[in-house]
């Protein structure tokens, strides 16, 4: 049993898009049980984060609008960071420690504000600007990567999802202050098996952000390779992002539009229905943290095929709880889709995956994990 013994904690994030709502909602639900008072500074889609009218939570919303060119994007990015830092300064007498969560790496002005007022700082590294800049051609990612390195050096503690990420994200120099943890837990009443695997069509899906670092374009290029071997397979690509137009162009060029559905961004409440229609979920990412979509698929009895990046090897044991592919070339993706579809014990793999997440991703385990980390952090300097 945990007790509220960790004083007052603040969570600061860059104003977020819809995909950040679930992770932040989970983090809030966990910490609200462990702290005397929780202060949240964020904006945009965070307005839909569930706080269930809890009296020990205060939320401060800051609007952010991205510019139409590099100059205005930089100016507005700095302006938003200034607003975040100003709100933190106003709360400084009430907050004992700040957790930087989602977009945390680039929040240099808020980090400097926390250090100026001598507050404990915890950086929750769920992604890497430095790693992402190798795949996304965004001029702002390079300076963001430099800010990320500075923030990691300044932070008192860093949380990452898996020991694999220490090497993958070049964090060896920060290893002494790294804790392994996550905010993930699943609602097994909502995420459940509605349709057994044998009752599902041969529908192969990708669900996530449509961007280059996710390997989704390689997935699209693998589709004709699979269709050349099997004509009874359909494909789904769910999500939104900058690669959408290129995906549509590729599908038209290869005359595959009739074999592939593009439903766009899928609201979280509708995910269980989509996942229960899939025979296989494919996640061919170049870089990841701990993708929630994999856990949600496993809970719905949907086998997952993924690359061994981030925390994915901690979740998937090839042929036991899912499938791992050696790389994300289109040829490798196609070969492994066929391997998974032809696996003699595919239903057993799906069942093992469900059992795994039922055991490992409960709310109680997530709370216990953060309870132990907070004890460590707050007792370390006493």
């Amino acid at each position: 049993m945990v007790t509220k013994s960790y004083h007052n904690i603040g969570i600061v994030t860059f104003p977020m898009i819809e995909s950040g709502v679930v992770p932040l909602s989970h983090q809030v639900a966990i910490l609200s049980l462990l702290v005397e008072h929780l202060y949240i500074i964020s904006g945009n889609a965070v307005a839909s984060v569930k706080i269930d009218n809890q009296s020990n939570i205060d939320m401060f919303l800051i609007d952010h609008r991205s510019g139409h060119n590099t100059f205005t994007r930089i100016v507005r990015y700095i302006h938003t960071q200034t607003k975040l830092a100003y709100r933190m300064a106003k709360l400084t007498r009430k907050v004992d420690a700040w957790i930087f969560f989602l977009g945390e790496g680039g929040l240099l002005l808020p980090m400097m504000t926390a250090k100026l007022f001598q507050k404990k700082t915890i950086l929750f590294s769920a992604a890497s600007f430095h790693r992402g800049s190798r795949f996304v051609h965004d001029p702002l990612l390079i300076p963001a990567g430099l800010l990320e390195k500075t923030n990691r050096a300044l932070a008192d503690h860093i949380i990452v999802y898996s020991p694999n990420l220490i090497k993958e994200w070049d964090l060896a120099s920060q290893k002494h202050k790294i804790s392994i943890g996550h905010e993930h837990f699943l609602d097994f009443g909502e995420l459940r098996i509605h349709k057994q695997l044998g009752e599902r069509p041969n529908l192969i899906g990708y669900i996530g952000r449509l961007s280059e670092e996710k390997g989704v374009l390689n997935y699209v290029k693998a589709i004709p390779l699979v269709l050349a071997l099997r004509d009874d397979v359909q494909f789904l690509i769910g999500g939104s992002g900058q690669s959408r137009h290129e995906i549509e162009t590729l599908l038209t060029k290869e005359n595959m539009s009739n074999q592939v559905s593009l439903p766009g961004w899928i609201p979280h409440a509708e995910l269980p229905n989509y996942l229960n229609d899939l025979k296989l979920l494919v996640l061919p990412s170049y870089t990841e943290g701990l993708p929630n979509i994999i856990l949600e698929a496993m809970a719905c009895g949907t086998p997952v095929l993924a690359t061994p990046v981030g925390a994915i090897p901690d979740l998937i044991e090839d042929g036991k709880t899912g499938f791992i592919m050696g790389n994300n070339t289109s040829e490798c993706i196609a070969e492994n889709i066929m391997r998974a579809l032809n696996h003699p014990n595919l239903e057993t793999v799906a069942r093992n995956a469900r059992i795994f997440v039922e055991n490992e991703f409960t709310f109680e385990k997530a709370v216990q994990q953060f309870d132990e980390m907070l004890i460590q952090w707050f007792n370390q300097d006493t």
Side-chain angles (χ1 to χ4, degrees):
M1 183 176 179
V2 297
T3 58
K4 294 182 179 180
S5 56
Y6 306 113
H7 313 295
N8 304 318
I9 286 184
I11 300 176
V12 59
T13 88
F14 200 80
M16 62 179 59
I17 58 176
E18 290 84 354
S19 61
V21 170
V22 171
L24 182 58
S25 295
H26 286 183
Q27 185 68 91
V28 169
I30 293 165
L31 289 176
S32 65
L33 292 181
L34 297 171
V35 304
E36 290 294 335
H37 207 96
L38 187 63
Y39 298 90
I40 306 162
I41 306 176
S42 187
N44 291 14
V46 77
S48 60
V49 167
K50 296 178 182 178
I51 59 174
D52 298 324
N53 297 316
Q54 290 172 262
S55 60
N56 71 325
I57 300 176
D58 283 324
M59 183 180 293
F60 302 90
L61 300 179
I62 291 171
D63 185 53
H64 172 75
R65 298 181 184 277
S66 183
H68 297 295
N69 56 57
T70 300
F71 176 75
T72 56
R73 287 175 65 195
I74 291 172
V75 169
R76 291 181 180 182
Y77 185 69
I78 295 172
H79 184 229
T80 297
Q81 287 213 33
T82 303
K83 290 190 288 184
L84 293 171
Y86 174 74
R87 175 53 63 183
M88 289 173 64
K90 292 194 70 174
L91 291 171
T92 191
R93 292 185 179 181
K94 298 179 178 180
V95 174
D96 301 304
W98 286 101
I99 294 179
F100 294 79
F101 186 74
L102 296 181
E104 76 298 325
L107 297 180
L108 183 58
L109 290 180
M111 175 62 77
M112 292 175 65
T113 301
K115 302 304 287 187
L116 176 66
F117 289 104
Q118 299 182 322
K119 302 300 180 180
K120 191 178 290 290
T121 53
I122 299 104
L123 200 65
F124 200 140
S125 289
S128 171
F129 288 128
H130 173 67
R131 178 74 171 165
S133 65
R134 303 178 193 180
F135 310 104
V136 182
H137 308 296
D138 185 335
L140 293 187
L141 279 181
I142 295 174
L146 296 175
L147 296 180
E148 181 178 66
K149 287 187 176 182
T150 303
N151 266 4
R152 286 172 175 168
L154 290 173
D156 296 309
H157 305 282
I158 300 172
I159 307 173
V160 297
Y161 287 138
S162 169
N164 297 329
L165 291 170
I166 296 174
K167 180 178 180 180
E168 195 170 310
W169 290 353
D170 302 321
L171 299 176
S173 62
Q174 311 293 338
K175 191 174 181 178
H176 62 286
K177 57 184 178 183
I178 288 177
S179 298
I180 306 301
H182 61 81
E183 83 292 349
H184 293 70
F185 60 87
L186 299 173
D187 181 344
F188 294 104
E190 174 186 306
L191 293 161
R192 55 192 176 88
I193 300 171
H194 300 295
K195 191 184 297 184
Q196 295 299 322
L197 208 60
E199 300 171 346
R200 304 182 189 186
N202 289 324
L203 179 63
I204 314 300
Y206 167 90
I207 298 175
R209 190 167 63 252
L210 305 184
S211 54
E212 189 174 345
E213 81 276 11
K214 292 291 187 178
V216 63
L217 294 174
N218 298 359
Y219 168 73
V220 175
K221 293 172 184 176
I223 292 175
L225 303 180
V226 175
L227 291 174
L229 299 171
R230 289 186 61 159
D231 60 4
D232 63 338
V233 181
Q234 294 287 314
F235 293 84
L236 176 140
I237 302 172
S240 60
Q242 66 267 33
S243 294
R244 167 113 190 185
H245 177 71
E246 191 171 354
I247 290 168
E248 291 174 335
T249 300
L250 282 170
L251 293 176
T252 301
K253 180 181 177 181
E254 296 291 336
N255 196 27
M256 297 185 300
S257 299
N258 291 334
Q259 283 83 26
V260 183
S261 62
L262 290 164
W265 179 257
I266 299 174
H268 192 258
E270 296 178 21
L271 266 179
N273 293 330
Y274 277 90
L275 290 170
N276 270 271
D277 277 338
L278 295 181
K279 186 67 69 69
L280 181 71
L281 178 77
V282 182
L283 199 69
S285 303
Y286 286 97
T287 179
E288 281 291 352
L290 198 170
N292 210 53
I293 188 63
I294 287 184
L295 303 177
E296 292 162 332
M298 295 169 81
C300 291
T302 304
V304 176
L305 167 65
T307 44
V309 295
I312 290 173
D314 299 339
L315 309 176
I316 296 178
E317 184 179 356
D318 189 70
K320 299 284 185 65
T321 57
F323 300 93
I324 294 291
M325 49 188 161
N327 60 66
N328 65 357
T329 62
S330 55
E331 293 80 9
C332 188
I333 294 170
E335 177 185 336
N336 280 277
I337 287 175
M338 294 301 299
R339 177 169 71 95
L341 289 178
N342 294 329
H343 194 278
N345 299 311
L346 192 57
E347 292 193 5
T348 300
V349 172
R351 185 163 56 251
N352 290 343
R354 168 74 187 194
I355 293 170
F356 175 80
V357 293
E358 280 182 326
N359 290 333
E360 298 297 327
F361 288 89
T362 65
F363 179 63
E364 292 75 17
K365 279 206 168 185
V367 171
Q368 179 184 358
Q369 185 182 73
F370 267 89
D371 188 35
E372 292 170 356
M373 284 192 287
L374 287 167
I375 289 172
Q376 176 190 347
W377 298 332
F378 278 86
N379 290 342
Q380 197 170 72
D381 301 325
T382 59

